[in-house]
């Protein structure tokens, strides 16, 4: 029974290594790079047809928001509102 479990683990390991070798070779040679034939698993090649993911940015991390806030402070809030809510 132990021999069977070890054999299955070895076969799985060999299969994973072969799959990684084949997909790495396919990416290197340019074959299989169409959308329909691209590997479905994660790839570790940097910049291999991946665009930069955009995610929501909090206002305090958004450079455009911070820049506009800085401009409002420098202009002195021309809309006539008091910048401090407690006053």
């Amino acid at each position: 029974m132990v021999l069977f479990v070890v054999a299955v683990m070895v076969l799985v390991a060999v299969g994973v290594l072969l799959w990684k070798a084949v997909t790495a070779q396919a990416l290197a040679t340019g074959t299989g790079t169409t959308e329909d034939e691209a590997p479905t698993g994660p790839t570790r090649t940097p910049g291999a047809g991946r665009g930069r993911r955009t995610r929501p940015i909090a206002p305090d991390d958004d450079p455009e928001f911070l820049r506009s806030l800085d401009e409002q402070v420098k202009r002195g809030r021309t809309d006539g509102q008091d910048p401090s809510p407690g006053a």
Side-chain angles (χ1 to χ4, degrees):
M1 180 67 176
V2 173
L3 183 62
F4 176 74
V5 172
V6 170
V8 168
M9 289 173 47
V10 168
L11 286 175
V12 168
V14 169
V16 168
L17 290 174
L18 285 174
W19 175 71
K20 291 223 178 243
V22 168
T23 56
Q25 182 181 8
L27 287 174
T29 59
T31 60
T33 57
T34 63
E35 288 294 323
D36 295 334
E37 297 174 352
T40 57
T43 57
R44 296 283 180 177
T45 54
R50 289 185 282 167
R52 185 174 181 197
R53 292 183 181 173
T54 58
R55 60 180 182 159
I57 299 176
D60 58 344
D61 292 336
D62 187 7
E64 292 180 28
F65 173 76
L66 294 174
R67 190 176 310 115
S68 69
L69 195 62
D70 189 39
E71 289 173 2
Q72 284 181 359
V73 169
K74 286 180 183 177
R75 282 189 300 215
R77 303 264 325 200
T78 59
D79 59 1
Q81 295 179 358
D82 188 9
S84 60

